[in-house]
């Protein structure tokens, strides 16, 4: 049997159609597609080529794909409990900010950044990185570590938006990795997804939402804890209220292509530098700011800049989000607009 270009042998059970391999993977769902790693892949940390092919195909089709059975549930449960505990303290911080208003019950909360909690399984998971480097190229740059927490009792939803609202390339340049720390669905506010688009503003105009929904309506998928979601940064999405009695937490870890030259940085403790350089070799830490001493993640202000221009950063302050306009005018009005039906899809 001929070997592949990578030197790996096709499975004896491989099937082909018109010369193309029919990937042998377990998957379910259509909007989005959820691909389940086999138990062998989970135990070995080696991703099958079939799995990579399916992930890439659906990512390029939809801008979003889910990888299930990727992280040990005991690790997920442990981090979830720690972050729920931290949330009580975080909500008391002066710089805390509700994403798109208090009614959403939705906050961006940085996970613990001490060596005990910075495990490879979440931030450089081998299955995750193998897909990311096939999408962005070698040595993808880690430049953002955060999470999205939907607190119990939220009643409002976010506007449908894109995380990038600047001129950007037409090819994937950045990927946000969302890792769910609990089973999630409509009840606890799993993020609603839309089809990839290139809006000129973060919030999407109603006419485009209604038109797009005729082709690809929004969906709130059921996602199991320990799943890894790959989302193109250009994808439309929206936060939904948590109607359950438990927090819904998903990590948000952003990787960028080396050629994109993103100026954003993320903080990690200097005490981790040696271990990271030894064990996280498949990624670039060019976007990491090494901090001496203890690093309390709850005191690190939210910082974002997905553009290629260093002056376009967004910084969380006690007075609100400071964006380029706020720095010029002294008025911090970013993320203060009220969400109405004009900001999300409605039937009819």
């Amino acid at each position: 049997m001929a070997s592949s270009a990578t030197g790996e042998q096709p499975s004896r059970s491989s099937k082909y159609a018109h010369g193309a391999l029919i990937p042998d993977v377990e998957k379910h769902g259509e909007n989005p597609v959820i691909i389940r790693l086999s138990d062998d892949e989970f135990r070995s940390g080696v991703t099958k080529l079939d799995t990579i092919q399916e992930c890439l195909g659906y990512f390029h089709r939809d801008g979003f794909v889910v990888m299930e059975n990727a992280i040990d549930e005991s690790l997920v449960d442990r981090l979830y409990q720690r972050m729920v505990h931290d949330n009580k303290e975080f909500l008391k911080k002066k710089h805390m900010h509700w994403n798109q208003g208090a009614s959403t019950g939705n906050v961006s909360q940085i996970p613990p950044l001490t060596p005990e909690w910075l495990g490879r399984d979440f931030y450089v998971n081998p299955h995750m990185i193998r897909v990311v480097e096939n999408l962005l190229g070698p040595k993808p740059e880690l430049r953002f570590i955060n999470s999205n927490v939907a607190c119990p009792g939220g009643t409002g939803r976010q506007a449908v938006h894109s995380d990038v609202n600047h001129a950007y390339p037409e090819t994937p340049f950045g990927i946000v990795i969302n890792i769910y720390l609990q089973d999630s669905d409509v009840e606890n506010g799993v993020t609603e997804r839309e089809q990839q688009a290139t809006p000129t503003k973060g919030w999407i105009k109603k006419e485009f939402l209604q038109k797009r929904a005729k082709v690809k309506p929004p969906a709130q998928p059921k996602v199991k804890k320990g799943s890894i979601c790959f989302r193109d940064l250009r994808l439309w999405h929206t936060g939904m209220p948590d109607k359950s009695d438990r927090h819904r937490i998903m990590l948000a870890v952003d990787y960028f292509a080396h050629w994109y030259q993103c100026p954003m940085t993320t903080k990690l403790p200097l005490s981790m530098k040696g271990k990271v350089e030894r064990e996280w070799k498949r990624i670039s830490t060019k976007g990491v700011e090494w901090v001496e001493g203890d690093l309390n993640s709850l005191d690190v202000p939210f910082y974002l800049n997905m553009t290629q221009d260093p002056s376009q950063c967004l910084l969380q302050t006690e007075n609100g989000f400071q964006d380029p306009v706020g720095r010029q005018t002294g008025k911090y009005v970013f993320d203060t607009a009220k969400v109405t039906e004009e900001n999300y899809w409605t039937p009819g």
Side-chain angles (χ1 to χ4, degrees):
M1 182 180 292
S3 60
S4 68
T6 62
E8 299 180 58
Q9 297 284 348
S11 168
R12 290 184 180 274
S13 61
S14 296
K15 297 181 181 179
Y16 306 90
H18 305 291
L21 174 72
I22 301 175
D24 179 23
V25 299
E26 181 182 344
K27 62 186 178 184
H28 59 93
E30 176 59 25
N31 187 22
V33 172
I34 298 174
I35 296 171
R36 182 175 177 81
L37 292 174
S38 69
D39 289 341
D40 285 344
E41 288 175 294
F42 174 77
R43 286 191 294 265
S44 68
V46 178
T47 322
K48 294 193 307 182
L49 298 181
D50 294 38
T51 300
I52 296 173
Q53 178 175 324
E54 288 290 81
C55 286
L56 298 182
Y58 288 112
F59 180 90
H60 284 299
R61 188 193 74 171
D62 298 333
F64 185 80
V65 68
V66 179
M67 179 185 284
E68 197 174 84
N69 193 34
I71 304 175
D72 188 296
E73 290 190 2
S74 64
L75 297 177
V76 173
D77 291 340
R78 182 169 173 265
L79 181 56
Y80 176 83
Q81 294 299 331
R82 168 60 191 264
M83 293 193 66
V84 169
H85 177 269
D86 284 353
N87 184 253
K88 296 177 182 179
E89 179 183 348
F90 182 66
L91 296 183
K92 299 176 184 178
K93 298 288 184 180
K94 290 184 178 180
H95 63 263
M96 191 281 297
H97 177 91
W98 296 106
N99 294 323
Q100 297 192 19
S103 68
T104 65
N106 190 295
V107 294
S108 294
Q109 176 183 324
I110 299 176
L113 296 177
T114 55
E116 176 187 3
W117 297 99
L118 289 168
R120 294 180 69 246
D121 300 81
F122 296 104
Y123 302 107
V124 285
N125 184 286
H127 303 293
M128 173 186 80
I129 293 301
R130 196 150 189 213
V131 172
V132 171
E133 64 189 6
N134 273 278
L135 289 168
L136 299 179
K139 303 290 283 189
E141 297 178 352
L142 173 64
R143 290 188 173 271
F144 184 80
I145 294 178
N146 212 297
S147 80
N148 181 277
V149 179
C151 300
T155 58
R157 55 165 294 160
Q158 290 184 338
V160 177
H161 62 281
S162 170
D163 286 344
V164 291
N165 59 354
H166 63 280
Y168 49 75
E170 294 184 2
T171 187
F173 61 90
I175 296 172
V176 57
I177 303 296
N178 289 139
I179 300 175
Y180 281 91
L181 302 188
Q182 68 296 298
D183 293 341
S184 296
D185 56 19
V186 174
E187 183 63 22
N188 65 354
V190 68
T191 300
E192 186 177 84
R193 311 289 176 179
E194 300 270 350
Q195 185 70 1
Q196 180 178 316
T198 54
T200 56
K201 294 184 179 180
W203 290 21
I204 313 303
K205 292 183 178 180
K206 181 80 168 186
E207 61 187 282
F208 295 108
L209 295 173
Q210 300 301 103
K211 181 179 179 180
R212 186 65 227 176
K214 294 178 181 179
V215 179
K216 193 82 166 183
Q220 283 185 272
K222 289 186 177 182
V223 181
K224 292 186 177 182
K225 65 180 175 181
S227 294
I228 297 175
C229 304
F230 302 82
R231 172 166 64 83
D232 191 309
L233 284 175
R234 300 168 297 173
L235 186 73
W236 298 355
H237 61 285
T238 179
M240 302 297 283
D242 182 356
K243 301 176 183 178
S244 75
D245 59 358
R246 301 181 71 230
H247 293 72
R248 192 275 294 138
I249 303 176
M250 65 178 185
L251 299 183
V253 183
D254 289 10
Y255 279 94
F256 289 83
H258 174 71
W259 55 262
Y260 183 67
Q261 304 177 75
C262 180
M264 181 167 60
T265 60
T266 190
K267 298 180 186 294
L268 286 179
L270 181 61
S271 59
M272 281 283 293
K273 192 172 187 292
K275 182 177 181 180
V276 166
E277 290 177 345
R278 289 192 308 271
E279 300 181 8
W280 298 14
K281 293 181 180 179
R282 291 172 68 174
I283 70 165
S284 168
T285 56
K286 184 179 179 180
V288 173
E289 179 183 345
W290 301 104
V291 179
E292 293 189 24
D294 296 333
L295 186 57
N296 184 349
S297 62
L298 303 185
D299 289 329
V300 177
F302 182 90
Y303 171 77
L304 189 71
N305 188 355
M306 296 182 180
T307 76
Q308 294 173 298
D309 181 352
S311 72
Q312 295 299 304
C313 68
L314 181 68
L315 179 66
Q316 190 177 25
T317 74
E318 293 183 10
N319 297 320
F321 273 121
Q322 181 195 91
D323 62 359
V325 174
R327 282 190 286 276
Q328 292 180 354
T329 65
K331 298 179 180 179
Y332 297 172
V333 297
F334 180 85
D335 203 31
T336 59
K338 185 177 180 181
V339 179
T340 72
E341 282 195 0
E342 286 300 305
N343 306 122
Y344 53 84
W345 173 78
T346 51

